[in-house]
Structures are given as C-alpha cells and as structure tokens.
Amino acid sequence: MIRAKLIAFLILLCSCIQKDHQLILISFDGFRADYLSKAETPNFDMLVSEGVISEGLIPVFPTKTFPNHYAIATGLYPENNGVIANNMYDPVMDARYRISDRAAVENPEWYEGEPIWNTVEKQGKKAGTMFWVGSEAPIQDMRPSYWKPYDGDVPDSARIDSVLKWMTYPEEKRIDFGTLYFSFLDDAGHWYGPDSEEVIEAIQRADSLIGYLVNELKVKGLWGNTNIMIVSDHGMSSLSKDRLIILDDLIKVEDVDIISYSPAVQMNVKEGKFDEVYSSLKANESHYNVYKREDIPDRYRLKNHRRVSQILMVADRGYTINTRAYVNSRSNYPSGGTHGFDNNDPEMHAIFIGAGPDFRKGLKVEAFENIHLYELMAWLLNVEPSHNDGDLEKVFGMLK
Ligand code: AMP
Ligand code: ZN
Ligand code: ZN
C-alpha cells in the first residue's frame, strides 16, 4: 500500500517535470522474444545497451496480428476492444470481418475503445501512422493527422522516411507520435519456420532498418529527443505434417461454420447440432483444448464479447487443426510456422525494447503484458490516458 502510494507520488512528480519528447512505436510483426539471440544485430544491441529490454512482451489471446496490434493501441483486452480475432463474425451487425477485406478493416464499427492516436489528437497533439491496425478506420469519427491505408508493397525505408518527414515538419504540423509497421519477419516465419536461415536474414534486415532509422534521427538532430519503442504482436512456432488434427475425423464439418482458423479455431454450429459437435470434440480432446464460449478460461480475456463464436478449439503448440479438404488442396501443408497458440507459451512472446531520453539505460525487465503499453505511451506523450485495462505501475520501473 505504502509502495503503491510512493509510486503514484513519483508518477505525479515525474509528470510535472516531464519534457515533451517525440515517440516512435515500431512493430516488426512476428518478432519472437528470443530472436535477437539468433543473429548478429549491432543496431538492436546498441538500443538495448542505451535503453531497456524486456524478457518478453506477453501478447493477448489469440496470439494473432490484429488482436495484438489493437490491444497495444488501446490498452484493452480483446473482449473489451472488439478485435477478438483476425477473422470474426458479429451477430448484431450480421457481418464478417477478414483482414484482407478493406471495407471491413476501414469500418469503425469493428473497433471499440480509444486508440492512442485518438488520445493524442484529442489533447491537441499530432499522430502519424505509417501503418497500424485500426488506424485506417475513423474510430470515434477521428483519424490520425497523417495515416496511410495499409499497403504491404511500400518499401521499408520509404515507410521510415514518411515518419521522419512528419517528425520534422514545422511545429504546427509536426507529429508527437508516429508508428511504423513491417511484416517481412512474420512472412519468413510462416513460410520457412522460426528456425530457418530465412528468419535469420529477416532479423538482420530488421536490424539494418533500425540502423537506418537511428542514423537518420542523428542526421536530423532528433536523436536524444526521441523515444523509440520496438514491439511485436506475437512470436512463432514450427509446424509439421506429423502434428495435424483433421476436423473431419472428429465432426461432420458441414455442421459448423468456421469463423477463425488454426491454431485458435472459432466455429459456430448449425441449428440443433451443438451438443453433437461439442461432445464429439470434447470426447476426442487430444493435442487441443475445446471450450464452449462460456467456459473459455477467464485468463484469455476473450469470452465476454458477442463476436466470440460458440466453440473455441486451441491447438497445442505446433499442432494444426483443419479440414481434410483444405489439407488435400495443398501439397506442403502444414509446414513452416505459425502463431495463435496460448499466450502463456514463451514461443508466443514478442520483443520489447524501449530507448530514448525517458527510458533508463542498460536495464532488463521481466516479461509484461502488451496491454500496459497504452498507459506507457500516454505517459511518454504527456497525455491523459482514456479508460483501459493496463497499469502504468507495471512498466514504470523502465522510466527515468
Ligand atoms: P497474421 O495472419 O496474423 O500473420 O497476419 C499478418 C498479416 O497481416 C501481414 O502479413 C500483413 O499483410 C497483414 N496486415 C497487417 N496490418 C494490416 C492492415 N492494417 N490492414 C490489412 N492487413 C494488414
Ligand atoms: Zn502478426
Ligand atoms: Zn503471422
């Protein structure tokens, strides 16, 4: 209690003497917590020695791209922000969400809570997103001052150049907060698996980009006044044809509507078939866990949203759940890697590095949940956070 009061007092004291530094939030999709040990990474190493590294950033469940990027942006668990999977069905909207469906991705009805860029803009500051999940939709009828519709073909260095341009505008146009997003490491992990040479090359490509960014910040006189946070949404696990669960062996697949795919499979069941489907999945529960929506473990922070399907199956690490038709239509499936498994699994944990004028130097901290980052960003940007599930105390030890 006394400790909590002391921390609250310190937070208050620090926010009074806080200077306004610009903040860049960078996500390398699928950058597993242990990836830095796989390759030579002089630029990441420099940031680590100048700043703070965590043993891991704990993702929300399901450990997929959209739920995690939006949890980072809002500080809310999926059941509180609406982005409960990469693919969803909403019974009230009677609509489906798929990450490849631009109209859905840009429809604000799918996104609940307040993303950090809105918190920034509402308080007279400016945000620019060179991609972030949710930033393309006018959530709360607002958008960042600068944003781009997601385009995976925009070259890496051009993304960095855009954010640097927004950071160096004259004061009335300049951003306080910018985001960057890169997917090539996740692509390499999916195609070749986390233990591949291609993943090592992708880690080095990420390192070169950090080198380019730091150098440009120095050239532009921004280094020393800019806080940088490097994050990821989840890790990666290896898949194998030897670890395959065929749904047709367990149920009549025509009885279900699969909403969200392996390894966290959400399905709705045709009228009158629920008991048959669920009891068969339960009776054969091996290398996966199956839950009725209301029995999903509380720690997943998922079940209290109407978009969650009637049944959730969660594959054990490295296992794949799919239909026979899907498996037969592909010659080399499953192979490579994926994510989406239990968020307690260390292989699903992501990278976190924070460096800059407000971060302590040369510190390693325990793994922490990514929903605390919203509070951390609000503090770094000197804005009042909106309602969220995070707790600044959990991350405050990283700050000067
Ligand atoms: P996942 O299936 O969870 O591995 O999703 C990763 C993919 O999400 C990446 O390959 C990106 O192409 C895609 N992605 C990331 N951000 C966006 C976005 N804002 N809009 C559409 N797709 C995105
Ligand atoms: Zn991802
Ligand atoms: Zn992925």
Side-chain angles (χ1 to χ4, degrees), residues 164 167 213-223 226 228:
L164 289 168
M167 289 176 75
L213 172 67
V214 170
N215 192 52
E216 288 298 303
L217 287 171
K218 285 182 178 161
V219 168
K220 292 178 165 50
L222 297 171
W223 181 250
T226 306
I228 298 176

Side-chain angles (χ1 to χ4, degrees), residues 129-398:
T129 50
M130 196 58 206
F131 311 143
W132 203 270
V133 168
S135 66
E136 303 127 297
I139 300 166
Q140 301 174 318
D141 267 332
M142 298 177 63
R143 289 184 196 271
S145 289
Y146 312 99
W147 64 280
K148 299 277 175 201
Y150 182 67
D151 176 359
D153 292 334
V154 176
D156 302 334
S157 57
R159 302 180 193 195
I160 295 176
D161 292 342
S162 292
V163 171
L164 289 168
K165 184 178 77 188
W166 300 334
M167 289 176 75
T168 47
Y169 273 157
E171 201 172 335
E172 65 280 6
K173 286 173 67 187
R174 183 184 307 163
I175 58 166
D176 301 281
F177 172 64
T179 72
L180 282 163
Y181 168 81
F182 304 97
S183 72
F184 59 82
L185 190 45
D186 184 65
D187 297 340
H190 281 295
W191 281 98
Y192 306 104
D195 301 319
S196 62
E197 202 48 49
E198 287 82 354
V199 160
I200 292 176
E201 282 163 21
I203 296 166
Q204 284 166 335
R205 178 171 160 192
D207 189 67
S208 305
L209 286 175
I210 293 303
Y212 175 70
L213 172 67
V214 170
N215 192 52
E216 288 298 303
L217 287 171
K218 285 182 178 161
V219 168
K220 292 178 165 50
L222 297 171
W223 181 250
N225 280 316
T226 306
N227 289 306
I228 298 176
M229 280 175 30
I230 297 171
V231 302
S232 185
D233 46 354
H234 49 70
M236 189 66 68
S237 288
S238 294
L239 300 177
S240 163
K241 284 182 191 264
D242 303 332
R243 296 190 295 269
L244 184 56
I245 296 152
I246 306 265
L247 278 173
D248 311 59
D249 293 340
L250 308 169
I251 54 171
K252 291 194 203 99
V253 290
E254 60 275 18
D255 288 346
V256 299
D257 184 8
I258 298 175
I259 305 292
S260 176
Y261 304 93
S262 188
V265 179
Q266 292 191 46
M267 56 176 90
N268 287 327
V269 186
K270 303 262 155 72
E271 192 91 25
K273 298 287 183 181
F274 184 88
D275 289 343
E276 193 184 322
V277 167
Y278 176 75
S279 53
S280 180
L281 291 173
K282 191 71 193 164
N284 292 289
E285 197 174 27
S286 171
H287 301 303
Y288 65 85
N289 286 296
V290 63
Y291 308 101
K292 295 179 188 173
R293 177 175 39 211
E294 58 272 25
D295 298 334
I296 294 174
D298 290 340
R299 70 181 179 86
Y300 283 154
R301 300 304 305 262
L302 194 67
K303 68 178 172 203
N304 291 318
H305 201 285
R306 64 173 187 268
R307 291 176 189 154
V308 176
S309 299
Q310 288 173 294
I311 291 179
L312 168 70
M313 292 173 79
V314 185
D316 288 356
R317 178 201 279 183
Y319 277 78
T320 300
I321 302 170
N322 218 321
T323 59
R324 178 157 292 121
Y326 189 93
V327 173
N328 288 348
S329 69
R330 281 163 172 76
S331 57
N332 197 23
Y333 179 88
S335 63
T338 205
H339 49 88
F341 299 100
D342 190 337
N343 57 341
N344 270 350
D345 183 340
E347 286 199 355
M348 291 299 104
H349 292 184
I351 190 174
F352 174 85
I353 299 170
D358 294 317
F359 283 96
R360 287 173 63 187
K361 194 172 148 77
L363 185 72
K364 184 164 191 172
V365 297
E366 280 179 7
F368 64 90
E369 291 179 77
N370 66 11
I371 48 108
H372 300 306
L373 292 176
Y374 171 84
E375 284 271 340
L376 179 62
M377 292 189 283
W379 188 88
L380 288 169
L381 290 160
N382 212 355
V383 291
E384 194 58 42
S386 178
H387 168 76
N388 70 91
D389 293 324
D391 179 358
L392 186 58
E393 272 191 36
K394 297 269 197 255
V395 286
F396 196 67
M398 292 196 263

Side-chain angles (χ1 to χ4, degrees), residues 11-132:
I11 291 173
L12 197 71
L13 188 72
C14 294
S15 55
C16 297
I17 53 172
Q18 201 179 339
K19 257 181 75 188
D20 282 358
H21 296 123
Q22 286 166 300
L23 170 65
I24 314 177
L25 171 68
I26 308 166
S27 167
F28 290 103
D29 197 310
F31 201 126
R32 200 167 79 181
D34 66 342
Y35 270 5
L36 282 183
S37 63
K38 283 180 175 284
E40 297 278 306
T41 52
N43 297 298
F44 282 115
D45 297 350
M46 186 277 291
L47 284 186
V48 171
S49 67
E50 293 283 309
V52 181
I53 186 162
S54 166
E55 276 166 14
L57 187 61
I58 303 170
V60 298
F61 184 83
T63 52
K64 289 283 190 182
T65 299
F66 274 53
N68 278 286
H69 281 93
Y70 200 60
I72 292 171
T74 57
L76 293 165
Y77 291 110
E79 66 183 359
N80 294 331
N81 73 25
V83 182
I84 56 101
N86 276 359
N87 299 282
M88 311 183 261
Y89 170 72
D90 186 306
V92 174
M93 294 160 70
D94 189 22
R96 271 177 103 132
Y97 181 102
R98 293 184 182 85
I99 66 174
S100 54
D101 175 349
R102 289 311 306 167
V105 165
E106 295 184 10
N107 177 357
E109 277 184 79
W110 288 101
Y111 306 91
E112 296 164 6
E114 180 168 299
I116 184 71
W117 50 85
N118 280 7
T119 310
V120 167
E121 296 276 345
K122 281 181 182 178
Q123 295 179 47
K125 299 197 171 191
K126 286 197 165 29
T129 50
M130 196 58 206
F131 311 143
W132 203 270

